[in-house]
Amino acid sequence: MTTAADRVSRRQVDKFEERRRQLAEGALQTLSERGYARTSLREIAQNTEFSHGTLHYYFRDKVELIMYCVRQYKAVCVQRYDAIVADSATADGLARGFAEGLAATCRDDALLHRLWYDLRSQSLFEESFRPDVAEIDGSLERMIWRIVDRYAELSGQEPTCSSAMAYATFDGLFQQSLLRHLSGSDLALDDLRAGARHLLSHVVCA
Amino acid sequence: MTTAADRVSRRQVDKFEERRRQLAEGALQTLSERGYARTSLREIAQNTEFSHGTLHYYFRDKVELIMYCVRQYKAVCVQRYDAIVADSATADGLARGFAEGLAATCRDDALLHRLWYDLRSQSLFEESFRPDVAEIDGSLERMIWRIVDRYAELSGQEPTCSSAMAYATFDGLFQQSLLRHLSGSDLALDDLRAGARHLLSHVVCA
Amino acid sequence: MTTAADRVSRRQVDKFEERRRQLAEGALQTLSERGYARTSLREIAQNTEFSHGTLHYYFRDKVELIMYCVRQYKAVCVQRYDAIVADSATADGLARGFAEGLAATCRDDALLHRLWYDLRSQSLFEESFRPDVAEIDGSLERMIWRIVDRYAELSGQEPTCSSAMAYATFDGLFQQSLLRHLSGSDLALDDLRAGARHLLSHVVCA
Amino acid sequence: MTTAADRVSRRQVDKFEERRRQLAEGALQTLSERGYARTSLREIAQNTEFSHGTLHYYFRDKVELIMYCVRQYKAVCVQRYDAIVADSATADGLARGFAEGLAATCRDDALLHRLWYDLRSQSLFEESFRPDVAEIDGSLERMIWRIVDRYAELSGQEPTCSSAMAYATFDGLFQQSLLRHLSGSDLALDDLRAGARHLLSHVVCA
DNA sequence: CATGAATGAGCCTTCATTCAT
DNA sequence: CATGAATGAAGGCTCATTCAT
């Protein structure tokens, strides 16, 4: 049973969250273009229809805003691959879908991934980033492992390495591909596709 | 034939270079502790026997100093492994030596590697970092390839991937191990050793 | 003769005043803990069951709220001593009652007195505080004088100084005792009692 | 034996201190006009021939600057009266000199005293002000006691109260006189003179 | 009546850089 | 050569106040 007051309160919370989401979206845009250290809250606000005071109204401080942003983004990232897992009926199909997914997001969301690597680096120095970054990193690792696990199942093989190892190598590959793609290399995406399939078949499952 | 003037000029250049080297060494120390974005030139100078005005005398600006620093460091890094290549007579010995070398530097130079990943991330945003970072990255890739190539030779196998791919996966592995090591994980170094050998035998050569 | 409209209007005014009183009470609490300069209206509102917009509905601005608060408080303060005057039949009884009253309020209302001294200081800079502070100061001076006057009467003496002088010295004594009490001194209250009686007998009446 | 380096270093320190003194002087001027809470460092700097960055170069933060200012000022204050003590050969002469000194500084340095009371009030809320304010307060109390002690000696009497009590009453008197003087009262200074002598002869010594 | 979203002026502080000595 | 005084742009953050709902 909900009272009228409950509904009002609920609506306000929703509105508040919605605005946070909206501001984070704009912030993500600006952050991904300029990088964490070079982006001020004022600058973020300017790419928004709100004042910079508003940012402080919705987020306690810069760290909270940034973490909200990246968490929001990575949540989407992780989900993307679960559909691929669910939709693939063969090992090869999964490998192809996964490789294509990586390449697609490397191409389409390059700046956001760049921001992620920036923030992950910052977290090595900035204590306050640690918890959130670690959590996101964990969810990425689990996501990769769902791929590997399913690939092993479909191909009747066994994973030959830990999930940490699997994530490390795929991440290394993706990071380099991103770098090359951003540098204008035309081969980056193709190499990423090929590399991902190679890793899947040679490193992770034997 | 060198004139007296030449010798004087030469001596001055050497002295200039020597002082740059000396300043960069102190800077590297400070940078590796605090990270690029959080280190001011004042702070760098304080860990030096010189004033902070002197830094500007020897380096045009912060960027030039930072790049000089990291170039100086990575040169040392790369050389380290060439001795391993030269000293190993068997594939297994090379693998063991390489794995141990990675683990050793991950342990002993953790902060410097952390700085490297910081700067490499920055280079994705800061145009002026690009050339130097790219050059260093290239030298690291070539270093890795010398290992792989020699490993293939000693084991009578063929590399199954490009040097870019090899570098990407080893770098991913190293980066994650560094992260875990810095977080206090006792398993990080062992996993790095095992992972490196696994990559060498399964991914890179078949 | 009052019309219905009058009664309604009257009721509204009362309700308005009542709400002001209620808000001021909460504000006084917060102000006395943090001091004038460090207390924001948001913070005041949070210690209230109302929103911070409501504060602006009932008070023109921060100054009006603060003045309303302190006026409300000091009115209570002043009354406290009149009962002592009325109840004391001998000079010594009055002196004892007065000394005890000072010590009691110094102990029980320390934070509120602290706030008063804060606001009185502010009034030296903030024009808008002046009138109210002056009025309160006057009422305190008159209150002290009623004590002195009655003490003189009961003891068959004559006051030897002006009311301004009497107020000044008692206030100086009280202010210092408050400071010492807030600093954790155990002797502060006893010294205040003794000091008050000393002043009463030596300075003010001879 | 001093080396050349010592002399250079000494000269630099002196120069640094001299500039601090100079900046503090300007700051004192601005602070005393606007009060602590209403004065920004920018505003202070504007009444100076230096930029506001310079203030931060010479003082760690606002608190350090403010405390440096008030300490500098009160040191002068305290000394003022020691000459009076030394120069007075009779109790009456001392009383007259002291009363005149109080009145003179109340007139001439009214704004600075106002600032002092402001800061002393702030110290009740602002932890960081405490130590310095307490120290200054102590030096004032000792100064007052030197007067009282000498007065007792010259008049062949004994002090009838503690130094804390003496300071409290004189301070209360001075504070009120300052308030009235700043409010434009013509009688304030005369009353201060008379009050001080009255306190000296009736309250403090009998 | 009451709310709380939104604002923007203003504050303290940091810092790369310049330059006279 | 080397210093460190001085600068001023820029950043994160606070807060009284306004106003649509």
Side-chain angles (χ1 to χ4, degrees):
Chain A
M1 200 186 101
T2 61
T3 67
D6 280 342
R7 282 197 305 276
V8 165
S9 170
R10 179 61 196 280
R11 207 185 316 139
Q12 285 172 348
V13 169
D14 286 351
K15 215 170 144 194
F16 192 81
E17 258 315 306
E18 168 57 21
R19 177 63 31 104
R20 273 167 76 95
R21 214 197 44 65
Q22 179 184 357
L23 288 169
E25 200 157 336
L28 214 37
Q29 179 68 20
T30 308
L31 279 167
S32 68
E33 276 164 13
R34 307 263 293 123
Y36 168 67
R38 275 160 298 284
T39 309
S40 72
L41 290 184
R42 279 185 164 81
E43 198 178 351
I44 289 177
Q46 263 164 2
N47 292 349
T48 279
E49 53 175 334
F50 299 96
S51 77
H52 81 106
T54 304
L55 281 178
H56 286 289
Y57 183 78
Y58 283 96
F59 298 95
R60 186 194 312 282
D61 56 21
K62 197 182 177 184
V63 169
E64 185 180 304
L65 168 61
I66 265 78
M67 284 300 122
Y68 186 96
C69 286
V70 73
R71 221 157 38 213
Q72 177 173 280
Y73 172 66
K74 281 292 168 182
V76 176
C77 269
V78 169
Q79 291 169 3
R80 194 191 322 251
Y81 296 95
D82 288 335
I84 295 173
V85 171
D87 294 351
S88 301
T90 66
D92 196 59
L94 176 59
R96 204 176 314 143
F98 179 52
E100 191 49 44
L102 287 176
T105 196
C106 185
R107 186 207 326 119
D108 300 337
D109 311 311
L111 296 192
L112 288 166
H113 291 300
R114 178 174 70 165
L115 176 61
W116 160 248
Y117 287 117
D118 182 15
L119 292 173
R120 198 173 67 174
S121 286
Q122 296 309 312
S123 81
L124 289 177
F125 296 95
E126 187 75 43
E127 202 81 21
S128 48
F129 283 12
R130 291 269 174 85
D132 286 292
V133 164
E135 186 197 315
I136 293 171
D137 231 16
S139 78
L140 291 171
E141 183 179 323
R142 287 189 300 275
M143 177 272 284
I144 289 290
W145 193 244
R146 284 195 294 277
I147 300 280
V148 168
D149 205 40
R150 179 65 176 154
Y151 180 82
E153 192 182 323
L154 287 173
S155 63
Q157 298 174 308
E158 288 294 321
T160 65
C161 67
S162 65
S163 77
M165 174 86 183
Y167 176 50
T169 48
F170 278 112
D171 186 59
L173 176 62
F174 188 83
Q175 198 172 347
Q176 194 200 62
S177 301
L178 176 65
L179 175 57
R180 289 170 59 204
H181 177 66
L182 285 170
S183 299
S185 163
D186 291 334
L187 300 170
L189 297 183
D190 279 342
D191 287 352
L192 171 56
R193 285 189 196 90
R197 302 191 63 172
H198 182 258
L199 274 185
L200 217 41
S201 58
H202 285 72
V203 190
V204 156
C205 300
Chain B
M1 205 186 97
T2 59
T3 67
D6 280 343
R7 281 198 305 277
V8 165
S9 168
R10 179 62 195 280
R11 209 186 313 139
Q12 284 173 345
V13 168
D14 287 351
K15 206 170 155 196
F16 191 80
E17 259 314 306
E18 168 57 19
R19 176 76 17 114
R20 278 165 72 95
R21 212 199 43 68
Q22 183 181 0
L23 288 169
E25 199 157 336
L28 211 41
Q29 178 69 21
T30 308
L31 280 166
S32 68
E33 276 165 13
R34 308 262 293 121
Y36 168 67
R38 275 158 298 285
T39 308
S40 71
L41 289 186
R42 277 199 139 74
E43 203 176 352
I44 289 177
Q46 265 166 0
N47 291 350
T48 279
E49 53 176 334
F50 296 95
S51 82
H52 93 111
T54 306
L55 282 177
H56 278 95
Y57 184 81
Y58 284 96
F59 298 95
R60 185 202 326 276
D61 57 19
K62 200 181 175 183
V63 169
E64 185 181 304
L65 169 61
I66 266 78
M67 280 304 114
Y68 188 96
C69 286
V70 75
R71 224 157 36 213
Q72 178 172 282
Y73 171 64
K74 280 292 168 182
V76 176
C77 268
V78 170
Q79 292 168 2
R80 195 191 321 252
Y81 297 94
D82 288 336
I84 295 173
V85 171
D87 293 351
S88 302
T90 65
D92 196 59
L94 176 58
R96 205 174 314 143
F98 178 53
E100 192 49 45
L102 286 176
T105 196
C106 184
R107 186 206 326 118
D108 300 336
D109 311 312
L111 296 191
L112 287 166
H113 291 300
R114 178 174 69 167
L115 176 61
W116 160 248
Y117 287 117
D118 183 14
L119 292 173
R120 197 173 67 174
S121 287
Q122 297 308 314
S123 81
L124 289 177
F125 296 95
E126 188 74 44
E127 202 80 21
S128 45
F129 283 13
R130 289 270 173 84
D132 286 292
V133 164
E135 185 196 317
I136 293 169
D137 232 16
S139 78
L140 290 171
E141 182 179 325
R142 287 189 299 276
M143 179 272 286
I144 289 289
W145 194 245
R146 284 195 295 277
I147 300 281
V148 169
D149 205 38
R150 179 64 176 155
Y151 181 81
E153 189 180 324
L154 286 173
S155 63
Q157 296 174 311
E158 287 294 325
T160 65
C161 67
S162 65
S163 77
M165 174 85 184
Y167 175 51
T169 50
F170 278 113
D171 186 60
L173 176 63
F174 188 82
Q175 197 173 347
Q176 194 199 59
S177 301
L178 175 65
L179 175 56
R180 288 171 60 204
H181 176 66
L182 285 170
S183 299
S185 164
D186 291 333
L187 301 170
L189 296 183
D190 278 342
D191 287 353
L192 172 55
R193 285 189 196 89
R197 300 189 65 170
H198 182 259
L199 275 185
L200 217 42
S201 58
H202 286 72
V203 190
V204 158
C205 301
Chain C
M1 207 184 96
T2 60
T3 66
D6 280 344
R7 281 198 306 277
V8 166
S9 167
R10 179 60 195 281
R11 208 186 311 139
Q12 285 173 345
V13 169
D14 286 353
K15 207 171 156 196
F16 191 80
E17 258 314 305
E18 168 57 20
R19 175 76 15 117
R20 278 166 71 96
R21 211 198 45 68
Q22 183 181 0
L23 288 169
E25 199 157 337
L28 210 40
Q29 178 69 21
T30 307
L31 280 167
S32 68
E33 276 164 14
R34 308 261 294 121
Y36 168 67
R38 275 158 298 285
T39 308
S40 70
L41 290 185
R42 278 200 138 74
E43 203 176 352
I44 289 176
Q46 264 165 0
N47 291 350
T48 278
E49 53 176 334
F50 297 94
S51 82
H52 96 110
T54 305
L55 282 178
H56 277 95
Y57 184 80
Y58 284 96
F59 298 96
R60 184 202 328 276
D61 57 19
K62 199 182 176 184
V63 169
E64 185 181 304
L65 167 61
I66 266 77
M67 280 303 115
Y68 188 96
C69 286
V70 74
R71 223 156 37 213
Q72 179 172 283
Y73 172 66
K74 280 294 169 180
V76 176
C77 267
V78 169
Q79 291 168 3
R80 195 191 320 254
Y81 297 94
D82 288 336
I84 295 172
V85 171
D87 293 351
S88 303
T90 66
D92 194 61
L94 176 59
R96 205 174 315 144
F98 178 53
E100 192 49 45
L102 286 176
T105 196
C106 185
R107 186 208 323 119
D108 300 335
D109 311 311
L111 296 191
L112 287 166
H113 291 300
R114 179 174 69 168
L115 176 61
W116 160 248
Y117 287 117
D118 182 15
L119 292 172
R120 197 172 70 175
S121 287
Q122 298 307 315
S123 80
L124 290 176
F125 296 94
E126 188 75 44
E127 202 82 20
S128 46
F129 283 14
R130 289 271 174 84
D132 285 293
V133 164
E135 185 196 316
I136 293 169
D137 231 17
S139 79
L140 290 171
E141 182 180 325
R142 288 189 297 277
M143 178 273 285
I144 289 289
W145 193 244
R146 283 195 295 278
I147 300 281
V148 169
D149 204 40
R150 178 66 176 152
Y151 181 83
E153 190 181 324
L154 287 173
S155 63
Q157 296 174 312
E158 287 296 322
T160 65
C161 66
S162 66
S163 76
M165 174 86 183
Y167 175 50
T169 50
F170 278 112
D171 186 60
L173 176 63
F174 188 81
Q175 196 172 346
Q176 194 199 62
S177 301
L178 176 65
L179 174 57
R180 289 171 59 204
H181 176 65
L182 285 170
S183 299
S185 164
D186 291 333
L187 301 170
L189 297 183
D190 278 342
D191 287 352
L192 172 55
R193 284 187 196 92
R197 300 190 65 172
H198 182 259
L199 275 185
L200 217 41
S201 58
H202 285 71
V203 191
V204 155
C205 301
Chain D
M1 202 186 100
T2 61
T3 67
D6 281 343
R7 282 197 305 277
V8 165
S9 170
R10 180 61 196 280
R11 208 185 314 138
Q12 286 171 348
V13 170
D14 286 352
K15 216 170 143 193
F16 192 81
E17 257 315 307
E18 169 57 19
R19 177 64 31 105
R20 274 167 75 96
R21 214 197 43 67
Q22 179 185 357
L23 288 168
E25 201 158 334
L28 214 37
Q29 179 68 21
T30 307
L31 279 166
S32 67
E33 275 164 14
R34 306 263 293 123
Y36 168 68
R38 277 159 297 285
T39 308
S40 73
L41 290 185
R42 276 189 162 78
E43 199 178 352
I44 289 176
Q46 264 163 3
N47 292 349
T48 278
E49 52 175 334
F50 298 98
S51 77
H52 81 107
T54 303
L55 281 178
H56 282 98
Y57 183 78
Y58 284 96
F59 297 94
R60 185 194 313 281
D61 56 21
K62 197 182 177 184
V63 169
E64 185 180 306
L65 168 61
I66 266 79
M67 282 302 122
Y68 186 96
C69 286
V70 73
R71 220 157 39 214
Q72 176 172 281
Y73 172 66
K74 280 293 168 180
V76 176
C77 269
V78 169
Q79 291 168 2
R80 196 191 320 252
Y81 296 94
D82 288 336
I84 295 173
V85 170
D87 293 352
S88 301
T90 65
D92 195 61
L94 176 58
R96 206 176 313 144
F98 178 53
E100 191 49 45
L102 287 175
T105 196
C106 184
R107 186 207 326 119
D108 300 336
D109 311 311
L111 296 191
L112 288 166
H113 292 299
R114 177 173 71 166
L115 176 61
W116 160 248
Y117 287 118
D118 182 14
L119 292 173
R120 197 172 69 174
S121 287
Q122 297 307 314
S123 81
L124 289 177
F125 296 95
E126 187 74 44
E127 201 83 19
S128 47
F129 283 12
R130 290 270 174 85
D132 285 292
V133 164
E135 186 196 316
I136 293 171
D137 230 17
S139 78
L140 290 172
E141 182 179 324
R142 286 189 300 277
M143 178 271 286
I144 288 290
W145 194 243
R146 284 196 294 277
I147 299 280
V148 169
D149 206 40
R150 179 66 176 152
Y151 181 83
E153 191 181 323
L154 287 173
S155 63
Q157 297 174 310
E158 288 294 320
T160 64
C161 66
S162 65
S163 77
M165 174 85 184
Y167 176 49
T169 49
F170 278 112
D171 186 60
L173 176 63
F174 188 82
Q175 199 173 344
Q176 194 199 62
S177 302
L178 176 65
L179 175 58
R180 289 170 59 204
H181 176 66
L182 285 170
S183 300
S185 163
D186 290 334
L187 302 171
L189 297 184
D190 278 342
D191 287 352
L192 171 57
R193 284 188 197 92
R197 302 191 64 172
H198 182 258
L199 275 184
L200 216 41
S201 57
H202 285 71
V203 192
V204 158
C205 301

